[in-house]
């Protein structure tokens, strides 16, 4: 049973976290281009699509920790240190995303608005933190330091 849960967990991580990571990373450069070229409607359209990808796949991404906990329970490793750290980092990544999504919305609203040039400041840094957290979680899932289940 754990193999099935693990497969679902990995697929959910790839399908849900991957698009958010890519779309969130693309958002700041497109935002800079939109500000540099006022009146370029295609940049605003791209920003809206990138934000929608982040928002929709963030909701789908809830399956990742749910399936991860189910997998950990089936393996009996829920109390292992590497998993506890991974869960904490996953929570931190979710918290960053909770801050990031409204900031993207504010930046979209400010594109083309008079005096709206400062909205979205720090989005690249927040996105970098989000991506780094997921990279560390991924490494912990692969290496599983101290694990007794092989790996």
């Amino acid at each position: 049973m754990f193999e099935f849960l693990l497969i679902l967990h990995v697929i959910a991580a790839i399908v849900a976290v991957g698009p958010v990571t890519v779309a969130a990373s693309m958002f700041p450069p497109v935002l800079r281009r939109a500000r540099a070229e006022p009146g370029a409607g295609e940049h605003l359209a791209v920003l809206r699509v990138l934000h929608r990808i982040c928002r929709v796949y963030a909701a789908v991404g809830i399956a990742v920790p749910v399936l991860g906990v189910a997998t950990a329970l089936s393996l009996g490793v829920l109390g292992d240190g590497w998993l506890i750290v991974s869960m904490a980092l996953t929570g931190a990544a979710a918290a960053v995303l909770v801050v990031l999504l409204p900031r993207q919305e504010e930046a979209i609203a400010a594109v083309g608005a008079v005096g709206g040039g400062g909205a979205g400041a720090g989005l690249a840094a927040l996105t970098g933190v989000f991506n780094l957290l997921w990279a560390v979680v991924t490494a912990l899932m692969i290496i599983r330091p101290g694990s007794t289940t092989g790996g």
Side-chain angles (χ1 to χ4, degrees):
M1 180 63 162
F2 98 87
E3 289 96 349
F4 179 70
L5 289 171
L6 181 60
I7 289 167
L8 289 179
H9 173 62
V10 171
I11 289 171
I14 291 167
V15 169
V17 178
V20 175
T21 302
V22 172
S25 295
M26 292 174 66
F27 193 95
V30 174
L31 179 60
R32 284 191 293 276
R33 284 194 294 276
R35 288 184 180 146
E37 302 171 27
E42 66 271 5
H43 295 309
L44 184 57
V46 171
L47 288 170
R48 287 184 177 134
V49 168
L50 292 172
H51 175 65
R52 183 175 179 157
I53 290 168
C54 290
R55 198 171 16 101
V56 169
Y57 283 93
V60 173
I62 293 169
V64 176
V66 169
L67 290 166
V69 168
T71 303
L73 282 170
S74 72
L75 281 171
V77 297
L78 198 55
D80 286 9
W82 64 271
L83 188 60
I84 293 168
V85 171
S86 294
M87 291 189 302
L89 293 174
T90 298
V96 170
L97 198 55
V98 165
V99 172
L100 186 66
L101 292 175
R103 299 272 304 272
Q104 286 180 342
E105 289 176 13
E106 292 166 7
I108 290 168
V111 169
V114 176
L123 279 175
L126 276 174
T127 301
V129 169
F130 176 79
N131 293 344
L132 180 61
L133 288 167
W134 278 116
V136 173
V137 168
T138 301
L140 286 171
M141 291 289 136
I142 294 168
I143 297 168
R144 298 183 302 166
S147 174
T148 58
T149 60

